[in-house]
Amino acid sequence: MKKFEYAQPKSIDEVFQYLEDPDSVIKSGGIDLLDLMKEDLIAPKRLVNIRSINQLSFVRENEDGTISIGPNVTLSELADNEIITKYFPALREAARLIATPQIRNAATIGGNLCQRSRCWYFRSIDFDCSRKGGSHCYALFGENKYHAVLGAKSGCAIVQPSGTAVALMSLNAVLVISNGKNEKQLDLNEFYVEPAQDITKETILENNELIVEIIIPKEMRNYKNRYIKLKEKQSYDWPLADVAVALKMNGIKCEEANVILGSAAPIPWKSKEAEFELKGNRITKELARKAGEASMEEAFPLAENKYKIRLFKIVVYRAICEAIGINPYT
Ligand SMILES: Cc1cc2nc3c(=O)[nH]c(=O)nc-3n(C[C@H](O)[C@H](O)[C@H](O)COP(=O)(O)OP(=O)(O)OC[C@H]3O[C@@H](n4cnc5c(N)ncnc54)[C@H](O)[C@@H]3O)c2cc1C
Ligand code: SF4
C-alpha cells in the first residue's frame, strides 16, 4: 500500500473543502476502500474520513411520511432499526445478510452502495482488463462462474455486488447527492452505470460528490416487500443470486410490482418482464412461477454461469410468494 494522508474533518462543510482536491477520496467504514488500496488498485493521496461525522448518521420518519437514512448508518444499525424492521423487511434482511457481524458493525450503507465490483480479474493487479483501461474483458471467455447473465453483452460482465442497492431499488429509493454547492435528488435506478455507457465507472458519482441522504417514499410503506439471497458459502458470502420484490396489493390483486435482481447484471437489474406478469393480476403460485420464468427470458449466460438462470427463477418465485404470505414450498 502506498503512503497516504488521513484527514479527519469535523463537519460536512469541511469534507467538501477536502473534496475540492481531486486527490481526496471519501472513506466511510473503509472495508472496500482499504481492500482496493491494499491490492494497489488505487492509491489516493488523501483519505477523507467521514465515519465520525454524526450528522450523516440517522434513520428518521419525516413529517411528510418519507423515511430518511443517513449514509453513515452501519449495516448492523440498519438491520436493528425499528422503523426499517416495521416497514421495510426487504431492506432489513438485505443488511442483515451481508458479510459478518464485525464487517456489518463497520460498513455503512453509503459505502455499501458505492462498493466496487468483485470481478476477480478487476481485483487483481495482474489483469489490465477493459474496466481498468485495457483492451479486453478476461471474464467473457475466462473464469466467469460468478459473472453476469443479463446486460453483459457490451464488453464487461461484472455483477453489481451491493445487497442494500437491490432492496432499496425495489423500494423506489431516492439518493440526495451534494458537492457542497449544489444538491440533487436522483432515483437509485439512475445511479448505476452500465458498461455500454461508461465501462470505467460503476456509479454516476463524481469524485467531489457525497451521498448525504437516502429517502424512501411514503407510499412504499404499503408495499409488501421481501429480499432473498442465495450464496455459495453459508457462513458469509456475496450472493450468487439475490432478489428483492415490493408489491402494492389490493387483496390478492397486484396493482404495482417492483422486481429487482442482484448479482445478475452490471447494475441492480429491474426485471420488467417479471413485473409485467404480476401487475394487474391476482397473485397465485402459478403466476409467481411464471414471473420467475419471465425474469430470465432475456438471459445470456456465459460458459460457467448457466446455473444462475435456474437460481433466479426460483428466488424470484420464492420472493413473490413470501412477500404476500404464500408458502412457496407446499
Ligand atoms: C468478507 C466480505 C463479505 C462481504 N459480503 C457482502 C455481501 O454479501 N453483500 C454486500 O453488499 N457487500 C458485501 N461485502 C462488502 C461490504 O459490505 C462493503 O465493502 C461495505 O459495505 C462498504 O462500506 P464501507 O462503509 O466500508 O465503505 P468504504 O470502504 O469506506 O467506501 C466504499 C466506497 O464508497 C465511497 N463512499 C462511502 N461513503 C460514501 C458517501 N456517503 N458518499 C459517496 N461515496 C461514499 C468511498 O469513497 C468508496 O469509494 C462484503 C465484504 C467482505 C469483506
Ligand atoms: S468483467 Fe469487467 S471487470 Fe471483469 S474482466 Fe471483464 S471488463 Fe474487467
Side-chain angles (χ1 to χ4, degrees), residues 117 119-122 129-132 136-140 147 155-158 199:
S117 152
C119 169
W120 37 39
Y121 298 109
F122 174 75
C129 72
S130 318
R131 189 164 284 281
K132 291 186 279 190
H136 69 281
C137 169
Y138 291 89
L140 286 177
H147 286 75
C156 172
I158 59 164
I199 201 167

Side-chain angles (χ1 to χ4, degrees), residues 25-35 50 71 75 97-99 103 106-108 110-112 114-115 161-164 205 209-211 229 236-239:
V25 169
I26 298 163
K27 178 217 150 269
S28 193
I31 303 284
D32 196 39
L33 193 68
L34 285 145
D35 251 10
I50 61 167
L75 299 175
L97 293 175
I98 289 170
I103 291 171
T108 63
N112 188 260
C114 299
Q115 63 179 299
S162 167
T164 61
L205 269 190
E209 289 180 323
L210 188 69
I211 299 171
K229 166 177 174 174
Y236 63 89
D237 212 349
W238 277 271

Side-chain angles (χ1 to χ4, degrees), residues 50-187:
I50 61 167
R51 188 69 186 82
S52 47
I53 297 184
N54 292 333
Q55 284 160 279
L56 294 173
S57 192
F58 52 84
V59 179
R60 63 167 183 254
E61 251 178 300
N62 299 313
E63 275 179 14
D64 62 3
T66 57
I67 307 287
S68 288
I69 304 169
N72 270 358
V73 171
T74 65
L75 299 175
S76 303
E77 288 165 347
L78 200 63
D80 290 344
N81 184 273
E82 275 178 24
I83 301 171
I84 302 299
T85 303
K86 181 171 173 194
Y87 297 116
F88 308 123
L91 180 56
R92 174 184 188 270
E93 198 65 357
R96 191 182 71 81
L97 293 175
I98 289 170
T100 61
Q102 291 88 339
I103 291 171
R104 291 194 295 275
N105 284 342
T108 63
I109 186 160
N112 188 260
L113 293 175
C114 299
Q115 63 179 299
R116 300 217 59 188
S117 152
R118 303 302 311 175
C119 169
W120 37 39
Y121 298 109
F122 174 75
R123 293 270 166 176
S124 164
I125 199 163
D126 297 329
F127 293 91
D128 193 20
C129 72
S130 318
R131 189 164 284 281
K132 291 186 279 190
S135 59
H136 69 281
C137 169
Y138 291 89
L140 286 177
F141 300 102
E143 302 281 330
N144 47 39
K145 180 177 171 187
Y146 301 118
H147 286 75
V149 291
L150 285 163
K153 289 181 191 160
S154 45
C156 172
I158 59 164
V159 292
Q160 214 294 321
S162 167
T164 61
V166 176
L168 282 170
M169 204 180 280
S170 79
L171 297 170
N172 293 342
V174 171
L175 300 181
V176 182
I177 295 172
S178 173
N179 62 10
K181 297 185 183 86
N182 303 303
E183 205 169 86
K184 62 184 174 198
Q185 293 203 358
L186 185 81
D187 282 353

